[in-house]
């Protein structure tokens, strides 16, 4: 991608997954990294990678929020002992300024989330982050505000009930905000689906 040209494009390089993973395993062998993982893989790719990996992936990073719960993928990772890190754990918030989501899609303003927040005496954002942590995933919320960072860290002295967790789970719409198959063509003049 060269942003200086009139019509920037992505030029994907076709490298077999096995070659890339072997290079990452070499980094572990050299002591340059301790753990290696992947991002945006589904179960099929994970199964394929795990079948040939000498060092198993330690972590999968995926978009994960109440509108995209990815229950089966998270369950699979837990069953094979792979950690899961949720990016965009608050849902649409990070995508408003990029015109990739509308404010009406905010999980923070979702009636059920606001109600649960009132019940537990926390903010809607804390409820969303706690939901992620309580289901066994790491969450990485984005903020540059000190007060939000403090709020985001205050997740470990309360629990959501089983009913509240189920209520949040039921908000799933399989709504993906970060989909290269949607935004790469507009941003980089390159059709680049990865989830289909």
């Amino acid at each position: 991608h060269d942003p200086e040209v009139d019509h920037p494009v992505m030029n994907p390089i076709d490298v077999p997954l096995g070659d890339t993973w072997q290079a990452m395993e070499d980094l572990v062998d050299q002591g340059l990294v301790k753990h290696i993982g992947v991002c945006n893989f589904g179960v099929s790719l994970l199964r394929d990678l795990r079948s040939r990996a000498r060092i198993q992936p330690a972590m999968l990073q995926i978009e994960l929020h109440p509108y995209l719960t990815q229950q089966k993928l998270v369950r699979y990772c837990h069953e094979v002992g792979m950690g899961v890190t949720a990016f965009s754990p608050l849902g649409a918030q990070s995508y408003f300024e990029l015109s990739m989501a509308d404010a009406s899609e905010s999980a923070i303003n979702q009636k059920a989330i606001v109600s649960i927040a009132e019940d537990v005496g926390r903010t809607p954002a804390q409820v969303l982050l706690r939901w992620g942590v309580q289901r066994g995933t790491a969450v990485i919320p984005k903020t540059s505000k000190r007060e939000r960072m403090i709020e985001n860290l205050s997740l470990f002295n309360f629990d959501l009930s089983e009913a509240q967790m189920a209520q949040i789970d039921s908000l799933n719409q399989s709504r993906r905000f970060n989909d290269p198959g949607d935004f790469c063509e507009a941003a980089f003049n390159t059709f680049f689906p990865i989830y289909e």
Side-chain angles (χ1 to χ4, degrees):
H1 167 64
D2 181 356
E4 302 302 319
V5 299
D6 290 337
H7 298 286
V9 297
M10 284 181 16
N11 294 312
I13 299 170
D14 294 326
V15 176
L17 175 58
D19 292 356
T20 300
W21 192 255
Q22 184 177 353
M24 292 172 66
E25 289 174 329
D26 291 345
L27 295 174
V28 174
D29 294 339
Q30 296 169 35
L32 296 173
V33 298
K34 290 183 179 184
H35 304 284
I36 51 180
V38 293
C39 184
N40 295 328
F41 275 39
V43 172
S44 293
L45 272 176
L46 288 173
R47 284 184 193 280
D48 184 55
L49 175 61
R50 287 177 45 78
S51 72
R52 63 184 76 211
R54 181 173 49 83
I55 300 172
Q56 293 297 305
M59 185 66 66
L60 170 66
Q61 184 184 64
I62 52 174
E63 181 179 349
L64 204 57
H65 46 75
Y67 293 152
L68 184 66
T69 61
Q70 302 207 59
Q71 300 280 18
K72 292 176 185 174
L73 179 55
V74 171
R75 180 179 173 184
Y76 171 80
C77 289
H78 288 164
E79 286 184 359
V80 299
M82 185 185 316
V84 176
T85 298
F87 71 77
S88 302
L90 301 178
Q93 303 304 114
S94 299
Y95 301 100
F96 296 156
E97 65 190 55
L98 301 172
S99 299
M100 293 166 61
D102 185 79
S104 66
E105 297 179 285
S106 172
I108 285 180
N109 298 326
Q110 169 61 243
K111 186 177 177 181
I113 301 300
V114 172
S115 176
I116 292 169
E118 290 171 359
D119 289 346
V120 297
R122 298 299 175 131
T123 67
Q126 287 174 313
V127 167
L128 293 174
L129 297 176
R130 180 63 202 177
W131 170 79
V133 168
Q134 203 165 310
R135 66 193 298 236
T137 64
V139 295
I140 48 173
K142 173 189 159 195
T143 189
S144 58
K145 297 180 179 171
R146 186 177 191 278
E147 62 275 10
R148 289 277 191 254
M149 288 180 200
I150 293 168
E151 179 183 320
N152 291 346
L153 288 171
S154 301
L155 305 177
F156 302 101
N157 58 356
F158 77 101
D159 289 311
L160 300 173
S161 70
E162 200 172 301
Q164 290 167 330
M165 291 291 290
Q167 188 177 8
I168 296 170
D169 288 344
S170 74
L171 298 174
N172 184 49
Q173 302 170 7
S174 299
R175 171 63 164 106
R176 188 179 303 281
F177 295 106
N178 187 353
D179 187 343
D182 292 334
F183 70 77
C184 279
E185 199 157 17
F188 308 117
N189 298 301
T190 306
F191 179 56
F192 199 76
I194 65 171
Y195 296 113
E196 284 71 25

